[in-house]
Amino acid sequence: MNFHQIDFLIAFPVFFVLYWLLPYKFASVALIVFNVIFYASWGGKFFLVILGLTCLEWIAGLGISRIESEGKKNLVYFGSLSTIICTLICFKYFISGDNWFLPVGLSYQVLMGISHLTDLRYGGSSEVGSFRNYFSFKTFFPVVVSGPITRFSEMEKYFSTSPSWKLVPWREVILLFSWGYFKKAYCGDYLANEVITPMANMPSEFHISALYLKFITMPVQLYCDFSGYSSMARALAMSLGKDLPINFNLPFLSNSFNEFWNRWHISLSQWLRDYIFFPLNKLLFKSCGPLLSAVLAILLTWILGGMWHGPGIIYTLYGLHQGLYVAVNALSDYYKTKRLKRNKLKRAPKNFSVLKAVFVFILFGLSILLFMSPSLNAYREYLALLVSGSDGIKTLDWWHPLFIFAIIIGEHIYGYKEGDKTFSRLPIFFQGAVLGLLWVYIILIAPKNYVAFIYFKF
């Protein structure tokens, strides 16, 4: 089942009605049943893996919270942590030569489990919760296969108390789901079907203009696909009285890579910061000093972040790309601040720069080109064609992609100007007109060839 497939669009309303009509103790059971059905639709035999990890994490968390001996706590924590990580490594690096053999959403499940145990051991959290609540959290269908990455210490309240339908912002739910559906089903799938896929095998046969169109398209298509999914996930959770973290916040407005990773896949970048960067920086601080420890921790964090996506040099190099971008950005900020202090000057307020945003977009585009390349040779070949030109004669339609780019630029400009004012605050007739237009495009014009969400394979 996928959020924008007909089987989900039929099944969810049935569950939704039951969820709000039944008493909460039965509604919570209905949620668990729907969670299991949703995950089983992706491959029921792997549900046992998720169930096993969930049981291990909950039992280990119970032990960490109740055992008084620090040594025994460490034994439980590191033993369970090693088992969880080894499970991920085993499936990603040894069992699955093909992603078909990888349990869907395993990477996200592992990150949520690590954060739960680490928060209990070192973060001061005491939220062990009941097994029912933790199981509902780990299998919660909007996030179970592709995030956002949530933390039990922040989400437990939503699974332990009865929600009120009166507190749900229903208009915002409809708008958020519709906009996410539009970005995925229309914008993302069109760019995937009409620009990226046709050039997947023989880019040398295409004209240089088509090559540059694909280069521009790849980060936009990934954004539409992933942020569209995240918006739908947030809307579905919101409709059940549960609030998920924002995962994308107008990333193409970023003037630096530090800012970019505070706007793109926010739940992952925050997880990497809290559970890898901070511990690594603390570990390296005494031996390397503040500056070098920070740089090394940034590089190691992002290399591990790249390896989390899967085996192969491609993902490791992608992580190194991001690490270098962020490290150079951090060094630049450090020396800039140091120079200002030496000259007893105040830092000038940061103003948005279109040129900086374009520069960040180009660098990110280069890393996404690597990320989505089937091999290093294919990546090098494509870069060579971009630089030296192509003798190919095949072309692609520019007008439709440009229209989609204009939509995404408009989304960013509106968000930049309006700040925290949501679309739902606009006049009701304007909202209705926009919603109607979105669904006309989705039903009549959106590609009929279904494209799987890119991050499902991770």
Side-chain angles (χ1 to χ4, degrees):
M1 271 194 282
N2 253 318
F3 294 163
H4 66 311
Q5 285 183 299
I6 190 65
D7 50 356
F8 178 82
L9 296 176
I10 292 173
F12 177 73
V14 176
F15 157 71
F16 175 81
V17 172
L18 287 173
Y19 180 82
W20 285 110
L21 288 180
L22 291 172
Y24 180 67
K25 64 179 180 179
F26 296 114
S28 60
V29 174
L31 175 60
I32 291 174
V33 171
F34 190 78
N35 289 342
V36 172
I37 292 172
F38 182 84
Y39 190 88
S41 70
W42 290 95
K45 60 185 176 182
F46 291 126
F47 180 73
L48 292 176
V49 177
I50 303 304
L51 178 61
L53 288 176
T54 303
C55 291
L56 171 66
E57 293 156 11
W58 185 78
I59 293 170
L62 205 61
I64 291 170
S65 66
R66 293 186 178 181
I67 294 173
E68 295 183 0
S69 167
E70 292 297 317
K72 290 181 179 178
K73 279 189 176 184
N74 286 336
L75 184 63
V76 172
Y77 172 70
F78 287 109
S80 56
L81 206 66
S82 300
T83 304
I84 294 168
I85 294 172
C86 285
T87 302
L88 179 64
I89 293 172
C90 183
F91 272 100
K92 280 213 170 190
Y93 284 81
F94 297 105
I95 294 179
S96 64
D98 187 328
N99 283 316
W100 184 85
F101 294 101
L102 181 67
V104 175
L106 179 62
S107 299
Y108 292 93
Q109 292 286 311
V110 166
L111 295 190
M112 290 191 289
I114 292 173
S115 66
H116 173 58
L117 295 176
T118 304
D119 287 347
L120 286 172
R121 182 66 186 95
Y122 298 110
S125 172
S126 59
E127 297 290 345
V128 180
S130 67
F131 180 75
R132 185 185 68 178
N133 290 344
Y134 189 67
F135 183 73
S136 297
F137 160 75
K138 285 296 297 289
T139 59
F140 189 41
F141 73 91
V143 302
V144 69
V145 294
S146 201
I149 301 163
T150 51
R151 306 182 192 189
F152 187 64
S153 57
E154 298 171 354
M155 294 291 294
E156 199 268 343
K157 59 186 177 184
Y158 296 119
F159 298 100
S160 59
T161 57
S162 175
S164 171
W165 66 271
K166 293 179 181 179
L167 299 178
V168 176
W170 294 109
R171 199 190 311 173
E172 191 167 346
V173 167
I174 295 170
L175 291 168
L176 188 61
F177 186 85
S178 299
W179 181 240
Y181 198 109
F182 175 76
K183 280 200 290 185
K184 164 57 187 168
Y186 172 62
C187 300
D189 284 6
Y190 179 88
L191 294 175
N193 284 322
E194 303 300 327
V195 179
I196 295 174
T197 301
M199 297 181 63
N201 296 321
M202 297 295 291
S204 58
E205 295 181 357
F206 287 82
H207 190 266
I208 187 68
S209 61
L211 295 173
Y212 275 100
L213 176 62
K214 180 182 176 181
F215 175 73
I216 298 169
T217 294
M218 292 178 87
V220 177
Q221 190 272 330
L222 181 59
Y223 168 74
C224 291
D225 187 277
F226 201 0
S227 70
Y229 175 89
S230 294
S231 294
M232 285 188 279
R234 287 188 64 230
L236 291 168
M238 205 182 295
S239 73
L240 302 176
K242 306 177 196 313
D243 193 21
L244 295 179
I246 295 173
N247 213 21
F248 289 85
N249 183 24
L250 310 175
F252 299 136
L253 294 176
S254 304
N255 276 192
S256 69
F257 268 90
N258 284 345
E259 182 184 359
F260 180 84
W261 280 106
N262 283 320
R263 292 174 175 269
W264 179 281
H265 206 343
I266 300 169
S267 62
L268 175 62
S269 58
Q270 289 180 345
W271 193 98
L272 292 173
R273 179 198 65 195
D274 294 345
Y275 299 103
I276 298 182
F277 172 75
F278 284 157
L280 277 177
N281 192 34
K282 185 178 180 180
L283 183 68
L284 296 169
F285 186 84
K286 289 184 179 179
S287 57
C288 301
L291 185 60
L292 183 57
S293 66
V295 171
L296 289 175
I298 288 170
L299 292 175
L300 288 172
T301 297
W302 281 107
I303 288 172
L304 289 172
M307 294 172 68
W308 167 80
H309 287 85
I313 191 65
I314 290 288
Y315 294 130
T316 304
L317 289 177
Y318 166 77
L320 180 60
H321 265 226
Q322 302 307 320
L324 288 171
Y325 294 156
V326 175
V328 169
N329 199 157
L331 284 171
S332 173
D333 286 347
Y334 173 81
Y335 285 111
K336 191 180 296 183
T337 302
K338 193 174 182 180
R339 186 175 68 252
L340 290 171
K341 286 183 177 179
R342 186 173 62 246
N343 296 326
K344 297 180 179 180
L345 299 172
K346 292 183 178 180
R347 180 182 288 272
K350 291 184 178 180
N351 296 316
F352 174 72
S353 166
V354 174
L355 288 178
K356 288 182 180 178
V358 170
F359 182 67
V360 170
F361 179 87
I362 291 171
L363 288 181
F364 182 66
L366 288 171
S367 66
I368 292 301
L369 180 61
L370 171 64
F371 182 78
M372 299 179 73
S373 293
S375 66
L376 273 179
N377 286 335
Y379 177 65
R380 285 193 289 262
E381 179 189 355
Y382 202 97
L383 283 181
L385 290 171
L386 287 177
V387 173
S388 61
S390 170
D391 296 328
I393 58 172
K394 291 184 179 180
T395 58
L396 295 172
D397 169 42
W398 271 78
W399 293 109
H400 212 141
L402 285 177
F403 176 64
I404 293 173
F405 297 161
I407 291 172
I408 301 306
I409 291 170
E411 176 199 34
H412 280 61
I413 291 173
Y414 171 79
Y416 177 68
K417 287 184 176 180
E418 295 300 319
D420 63 352
K421 293 180 181 179
T422 63
F423 185 70
S424 59
R425 296 184 187 179
L426 293 172
I428 188 69
F429 70 90
F430 184 79
Q431 294 177 37
V434 172
L435 272 176
L437 186 60
L438 287 179
W439 284 103
V440 165
Y441 264 92
I442 290 168
I443 295 169
L444 300 180
I445 305 177
K448 299 302 183 283
N449 294 334
Y450 161 71
V451 178
F453 287 107
I454 291 173
Y455 261 70
F456 276 7
K457 64 181 180 180
F458 302 121

